Amino acid sequence: MQHRGEILKEAIYKSGIPITELAKRMGKSRRWMYLMFENSTVSLDLVLQIGKIIHHDFSDSIKELSTSLKGNESPTAYEKEAFNAEYWKDKYLKLLEEYNLLLKQQ
């Protein structure tokens, strides 16, 4: 399986956009960005979001993305479950970061 975090890291560094700027545009922290680079199963939604910001097409380097965009193959039950789990994990982390920000403001 491809390590999506490493693929993203390489593309981001080649784009020349600073990590701080990218994190700011995504509403994330720099720390979150570096942790994402270590994650081999970054969600396809995040890959697309980052690709949009840095103007990079990841469909050539991430095979799951190219098949989901082409629609040639329907995802297996396992892929759907993995995608769904990743989605909820990312959503949880985002809410947790927002909660921590609220706590700091008090």
Side-chain angles (χ1 to χ4, degrees), residues 17-30:
I17 295 176
I19 299 295
T20 306
E21 177 65 26
L22 181 62
K24 185 177 178 181
R25 289 187 189 183
M26 293 181 67
K28 306 287 185 187
S29 67
R30 286 180 66 235

Side-chain angles (χ1 to χ4, degrees), residues 3-102:
H3 194 294
R4 294 181 191 165
E6 290 178 358
I7 294 170
L8 288 170
K9 181 180 179 180
E10 183 180 334
I12 291 168
Y13 284 134
K14 285 183 180 178
S15 75
I17 295 176
I19 299 295
T20 306
E21 177 65 26
L22 181 62
K24 185 177 178 181
R25 289 187 189 183
M26 293 181 67
K28 306 287 185 187
S29 67
R30 286 180 66 235
R31 175 78 179 135
W32 185 91
M33 296 297 296
Y34 288 109
L35 288 173
M36 182 198 59
F37 294 154
E38 297 172 8
N39 184 358
S40 64
T41 58
V42 175
S43 74
L44 295 178
D45 286 337
L46 279 174
V47 171
L48 291 173
Q49 184 181 7
I50 291 170
K52 192 176 206 180
I53 293 171
I54 67 171
H55 306 289
H56 183 82
D57 181 14
F58 288 102
S59 61
D60 293 334
S61 53
I62 299 177
K63 66 179 179 176
E64 292 89 356
L65 186 62
S66 62
T67 57
S68 68
L69 290 177
K70 291 177 186 171
N72 293 340
E73 301 173 16
S74 62
T76 64
Y78 175 76
E79 290 173 332
K80 286 180 186 176
E81 185 178 326
F83 179 76
N84 196 24
E86 189 68 28
Y87 168 79
W88 288 110
K89 184 180 91 174
D90 290 338
K91 187 156 185 98
Y92 171 76
L93 290 174
K94 181 179 179 185
L95 288 171
L96 189 59
E97 286 183 352
E98 290 173 3
Y99 177 72
N100 285 333
L101 285 174
L102 287 172

